[in-house]
Amino acid sequence: MAITMTDAAAARVSSFMINRGKGIGLRLGVKTTGCSGLAYVLEFVDELAAEDQVFEQKGVKIIVDAKSLIHLDGTELDFVKEGLNEGFQFNNPNAKGECGCGESFSV
């Protein structure tokens, strides 16, 4: 099981962590919501939980809880700039469909 990230994503997360001034890394998780059933969650992590898996790449730690890892295994986190818009993009091989607005996905 693994979570990977592009150079652009690693640079952006690293920049956020430096600006924040504290923390272990970034949590990638899922929650039940939206039209398609699941939505991605990103949040800073200051303390690890017992069930957390830590994936370190390019000097950045991505933390995933065991429940979310089932839906996220193999996901690549990317950071994309398109015109005036920018944000994280999730390349998840487990996602079978997404809602029209892109806020949620199904497996």
Side-chain angles (χ1 to χ4, degrees):
M1 295 191 148
I3 305 294
T4 60
M5 71 182 88
T6 64
D7 290 341
R12 190 65 169 173
V13 172
S14 182
S15 173
F16 281 146
M17 295 300 294
I18 290 168
N19 288 340
R20 187 169 183 258
K22 66 177 183 174
I24 297 169
L26 186 73
R27 179 175 303 283
L28 173 57
V30 295
K31 66 179 180 176
T32 304
T33 189
C35 324
S36 293
L38 297 170
Y40 298 104
V41 176
L42 289 173
E43 59 190 10
F44 294 111
V45 176
D46 294 325
E47 290 184 28
L48 292 175
E51 71 276 2
D52 285 340
Q53 294 283 328
V54 179
F55 301 94
E56 186 167 356
Q57 193 175 20
K58 301 171 177 66
V60 175
K61 291 180 180 162
I62 299 294
I63 295 99
V64 183
D65 65 274
K67 178 184 163 196
S68 295
L69 189 55
I70 295 166
H71 304 292
L72 297 173
D73 184 31
T75 296
E76 177 189 61
L77 182 63
D78 193 6
F79 185 78
V80 179
K81 290 184 179 184
E82 295 176 358
L84 297 175
N85 298 318
E86 62 180 33
F88 287 103
Q89 188 173 55
F90 307 93
N91 301 315
N92 185 346
N94 303 302
K96 303 296 182 219
E98 293 183 349
C99 67
C101 64
E103 292 294 319
S104 62
F105 68 100
S106 61
V107 290

